[in-house]
Amino acid sequence: MYNFAMKIYKNLIIGGGASGLFLATLLDKNETIILEKNSKFGAKILASGGGRCNITNQNISTKNYLGDENFVREILGVLSYEEVLRNFKNLDFSKEKDAQFYCKNGSKAVLNEILRKVKCEFRLNCEVKTAQKEGDLFKISTNLGEFFARNLIVASGGLSYKALGASGVGYEIARHFSHDIATPSPALVGFSVQKDEFWFKNISGVSINCKIKVAGREFCGNVLFTHRGISGPAVLNASLFWQKGKISINFAPHLKAKNFTNTKKQVSTILGLPKSFCREFLTALNLADKPFDEFNGDEKERFLRVFDYEFAPAGNFGFEKAEITKGGVKTDKIGTNCQSKIVPNLFFIGEVLDVSGMLGGYNIHFAFASAKSAFLGLRNVLVSV
Ligand SMILES: Cc1cc2nc3c(=O)[nH]c(=O)nc-3n(C[C@H](O)[C@H](O)[C@H](O)COP(=O)(O)OP(=O)(O)OC[C@H]3O[C@@H](n4cnc5c(N)ncnc54)[C@H](O)[C@@H]3O)c2cc1C
């Protein structure tokens, strides 16, 4: 029961990550509290972009997201990449490959800049267990006791990277309030391989530029061979769209089959790829390193798999290594401004939602955009409180 001596917050944010903190920078400091399970805020921001925080992308559009297109369009419509950069005008950003913006001052500077603007109350080491509605108020139970608020904003992220504080509490709260969850699965993650591709492991550390085909989409970029399978930007993007079944890798997108004919050069010379890759590829396909024209018909066919190496991954590296969680709170019952259509004054923002961005700054951008969208909604809600 609510104790009259207890403070009632107007806004209670669960999670001090990218979305929760960004929202807190916009809301009135006297009326808001953030509850964060970790001993520090923004663990994922710190880890983002390999410590350089890929904060946004010049090509922000629905095409770069998995999720309901209309919902994503509405959210992206409230925040442009220019506005993100203006928000961090004290920092320097470099525009890199694929129009990605990285922070030259590093992820820590991005987090510090956000924290500088977060003036509201907060509790660290505060793990939210449940949230319930009591009359007009939300009652949030935590290891530090109960908190009451008129507006509840769930910004607790997904299941990926447990080491950085991930928990499923957002899904549990959503389910409690009758929201459906699209099954969460690891995404932006490497693929583990089956026996026929164990040769990938022999060249752990080698990275080559490839083209990957998955579920009718193509991704160009580096593929990194690892002791567990394959990773690297092209693989991470492919993982967003892979469910089961085969993918295909073109290991030599810079070449055509005709480059190998009418020449005395050995195939490895023409490939021009790292020696260890050529050796393992040829061994795996039981081929000698010689001129293409000297292969028999069957050997030629096998060699040409270099352009279309089809195989079924065994799985992926799991939530422990995934940059994001695919799936989450279904958006059909989430209305304008990220507010629940089922329970008024309940909001879901960031990765907890069933919206996933590709690699390239799209996920932090979505976390910020959904936070701003909720802020716009909360402004309207606040008028009627
Ligand atoms: C290694 C790595 C690198 C990445 N690099 C990039 C990048 O460069 N660019 C990009 O766009 N995206 C990147 N991402 C993805 C991006 O960081 C996330 O999509 C984004 O941070 C999601 O923001 P969020 O606020 O929804 O969730 P989070 O940032 O995960 O924040 C959720 C917060 O809620 C807290 N929490 C969870 N459960 C509870 C609970 N029960 N009680 C209280 N608090 C709780 C967590 O501790 C966490 O602080 C990266 C992810 C990882 C793991």
Side-chain angles (χ1 to χ4, degrees):
M1 261 316 277
Y2 169 62
N3 163 353
F4 284 95
M6 265 177 166
K7 179 165 179 181
I8 300 175
Y9 296 92
K10 247 178 192 167
N11 309 306
L12 186 148
I13 302 172
I14 303 177
S19 61
L21 291 175
F22 195 80
L23 175 60
T25 66
L26 304 171
L27 289 171
D28 189 326
K29 65 176 194 268
N30 298 316
E31 306 178 318
T32 303
I33 184 165
I34 312 174
L35 307 183
E36 168 54 51
K37 167 175 178 268
N38 286 343
S39 58
K40 289 184 179 153
F41 286 127
K44 273 197 194 168
I45 297 177
L46 284 179
S48 66
R52 296 170 61 228
C53 188
N54 177 195
I55 200 165
T56 185
N57 194 297
Q58 191 167 352
N59 299 330
I60 294 290
S61 104
T62 54
K63 286 197 205 101
N64 304 103
Y65 293 87
L66 257 190
D68 180 79
E69 204 177 326
N70 291 331
F71 179 82
V72 176
R73 182 178 298 108
E74 200 171 303
I75 302 292
L76 298 181
V78 305
L79 188 74
S80 64
Y81 81 91
E82 291 101 328
E83 194 179 336
V84 171
L85 298 178
R86 272 200 303 278
N87 247 284
F88 294 90
K89 60 178 186 302
N90 296 334
L91 305 179
D92 287 329
F93 291 91
S94 58
K95 189 166 104 185
E96 300 187 11
K97 195 164 61 69
D98 300 326
Q100 308 177 41
F101 286 96
Y102 282 90
C103 183
K104 288 186 187 172
N105 316 79
S107 301
K108 198 164 181 193
V110 171
L111 179 60
N112 286 342
E113 190 61 14
I114 298 175
L115 293 179
R116 199 174 60 77
K117 297 179 191 164
V118 174
K119 301 270 197 263
C120 66
E121 224 181 291
F122 60 84
R123 299 280 188 285
L124 294 170
N125 298 307
C126 180
E127 181 169 4
V128 172
K129 311 278 189 197
T130 59
Q132 285 157 14
K133 197 95 199 256
E134 285 196 355
D136 284 347
L137 299 180
F138 289 96
K139 182 176 90 176
I140 292 88
S141 304
T142 78
N143 60 325
L144 301 184
E146 289 172 349
F147 294 80
F148 290 84
R150 294 191 193 286
N151 298 310
L152 175 62
I153 304 97
V154 180
S156 52
L159 293 176
S160 62
Y161 251 82
K162 220 170 190 133
L164 300 179
S167 89
V169 77
Y171 309 139
E172 284 153 32
I173 293 173
R175 274 195 204 98
H176 173 78
F177 289 116
S178 304
H179 279 274
D180 292 329
I181 308 295
T183 308
S185 61
L188 301 191
V189 65
F191 289 132
S192 53
V193 289
Q194 309 201 47
K195 213 164 96 225
D196 282 353
E197 281 70 49
F198 276 3
W199 63 273
F200 289 1
K201 303 181 186 198
N202 301 341
I203 45 173
S204 172
V206 170
S207 171
I208 60 177
N209 189 51
C210 296
K211 196 184 265 184
I212 303 187
K213 275 195 257 173
V214 59
R217 292 180 180 248
E218 277 192 354
F219 299 100
C220 297
N222 279 350
V223 166
L224 171 70
F225 296 88
T226 80
H227 67 289
R228 292 180 67 188
I230 43 170
S231 187
V235 174
L236 298 198
N237 274 329
S239 74
L240 196 54
F241 301 92
W242 181 76
Q243 287 186 323
K244 263 185 184 172
K246 293 189 173 169
I247 67 170
S248 159
I249 305 186
N250 179 349
F251 290 119
H254 57 296
L255 294 170
K256 297 264 179 296
K258 66 175 191 231
N259 293 114
F260 292 91
T261 54
N262 301 317
T263 167
K264 294 270 174 255
K265 287 183 189 164
Q266 291 172 300
V267 286
S268 68
T269 309
I270 298 168
L271 279 173
L273 295 172
K275 276 197 181 100
S276 56
F277 170 85
C278 297
R279 185 190 63 232
E280 292 298 328
F281 173 76
L282 293 171
T283 309
L285 295 176
N286 201 15
L287 294 168
D289 189 8
K290 57 185 183 182
F292 181 79
D293 291 336
E294 290 179 20
F295 285 148
N296 65 32
D298 180 50
E299 287 170 333
K300 280 181 179 158
E301 208 171 291
R302 260 183 284 146
F303 177 75
L304 291 176
R305 283 188 69 195
V306 79
F307 294 117
D308 188 10
Y309 189 91
E310 217 180 37
F311 69 101
N316 60 47
F317 297 172
F319 282 119
E320 301 307 316
K321 291 283 170 204
E323 288 203 4
I324 62 160
T325 302
K326 184 163 85 169
V329 180
K330 288 193 181 173
T331 53
D332 56 338
K333 296 281 178 344
I334 303 291
T336 314
N337 301 129
C338 297
Q339 185 169 191
S340 165
K341 288 182 187 171
I342 303 172
V343 181
N345 301 32
L346 172 65
F347 294 75
F348 293 90
I349 59 174
E351 206 179 302
V352 73
L353 287 167
D354 182 18
V355 174
S356 312
M358 288 170 55
L359 204 69
Y362 296 106
N363 287 296
I364 291 185
H365 185 97
F366 181 80
F368 290 167
S370 57
K372 183 173 174 196
S373 175
F375 163 69
L376 298 173
L378 282 159
R379 268 201 325 201
N380 297 334
V381 168
L382 291 179
V383 173
S384 60
V385 165

